[in-house]
Amino acid sequence: MPDTSASRRDVLKAALATGGAAALSACLEAVDDEPIPQGVDDPETLPDRQFAWNDSLDHDEAGNVVLPEHHLFLYLTYDGEAGNDGTPTDADRERLTAALRTIERAYERSNRGVVFDLGYSPAYFDRFEASLPESVDLPPPRRLTPVDTPTLDEQDALLQLASDRSDALLAIEETLFPDGDDTPETLNGVAVTGRLGEVFRIDDRRTGFIGPGLPAANQGVGGIPEDGPVPDAAPLFMGFKAGFAANQASEASVAIEDGPFAGGTTKHVARIRQQLDKWYDENSHEEMVAKLFSPQLAESGAVEGVGENLGDDSGITAELFAAIDETADVFGLVGHAEKAARGNRDSEGNVRTLRRHVESTDNDNASLHFPSYQQQISEFEAVQEAMNGTDIVADNPEIDPRVRNGIFRYIFVENRGNFFIPPRSRRAFPTPQGGDAA
């Protein structure tokens, strides 16, 4: 069994946040040359849906997907040779394809290896004369709440990589975005056939983590009280589990069904600063449950500890969120999850979005990276509108946009970006009509 001690996990997390060759060396010392399984030689054996991680990842006893512990978000600007019209060339498509396949050959698609997806922004597609097909709903990012004014991420692309081994993520970054002449020719023992730095430059670098013990071990940052209130068993800073299987869309249901990009999806990513000193100072466990889930679940004692007893379901039923107006009248308070659920079900009651959020201590502040996958960006925006609770605020004088309105008092959206995740076969600098295979 690999060493999963808290001290080693903390070293791996800290090294990823720092980045660079020295951080990679610190990681390698922490893991003591423990091998990482290599990937596949034949790319045709991999799923065409880039974002289809779930079958390759671990699951807990309740059947919930266990995300890899460490995440690296690289916001990228196209920096290749480009044609006369400013669009990527076939040569750059070949370079990018070779680089991505290097990662897939070097690392097994698993928690112990690496999973990743590469998405493109509306700004990337603006360089082409043609428009995306109607099957791809990808508007520019915009402000989505009445209480936040985020910076809009409009880089060309976003590469998200995840692994239980942050040394794998650092090795990919150091090898495929080389800085200097001493560039490794292999990645996890596999020959490098292409480098991401030949076609992209990194505009912004963000890191994240998730898993029991990691938030508690990394709470000595801005936004969290000094007395260390985050429970050791909590996988997230707010002290509770998330990502329950019954409240997540399937990967198949968020995939685009037809057109040249069938098998792709859209991805919204928000970066959210958290003010958890107030969260922990102001609220008892019952009050936290009321604000994060629902006052009715708090009253019934449905959520024990960090929520392990919930199994694969958060407890936010259709009956519960349908009665949210009554809940607001009775309690003068509504929960975050019950508000969002109103917009997160289709006409048949199926969940519309797949969320993979992780914590961060970038810039020495508690924050959350919130990637959400759905067929159309408009579906995410509908969920956000429901979560805003504007209708509830208008009808209840005890509730205002920030206070007693779910968890808005404790979260502040700093960035928003929209991205399209093409199928694997078209992931290398796609044209809007999908004419180029990768």
Side-chain angles (χ1 to χ4, degrees), residues 34-50:
E34 179 187 313
I36 303 175
Q38 292 182 343
V40 297
D41 289 329
D42 182 7
E44 299 306 317
T45 64
L46 299 174
D48 197 38
R49 296 175 188 152
Q50 285 192 74

Side-chain angles (χ1 to χ4, degrees), residues 62 241 244 293 297 302-304 306-315:
K241 288 192 66 172
F244 299 100
F293 294 88
L297 293 186
V303 183
E304 301 171 6
V306 303
E308 288 285 357
N309 68 298
L310 295 173
D312 70 346
D313 194 322
S314 69

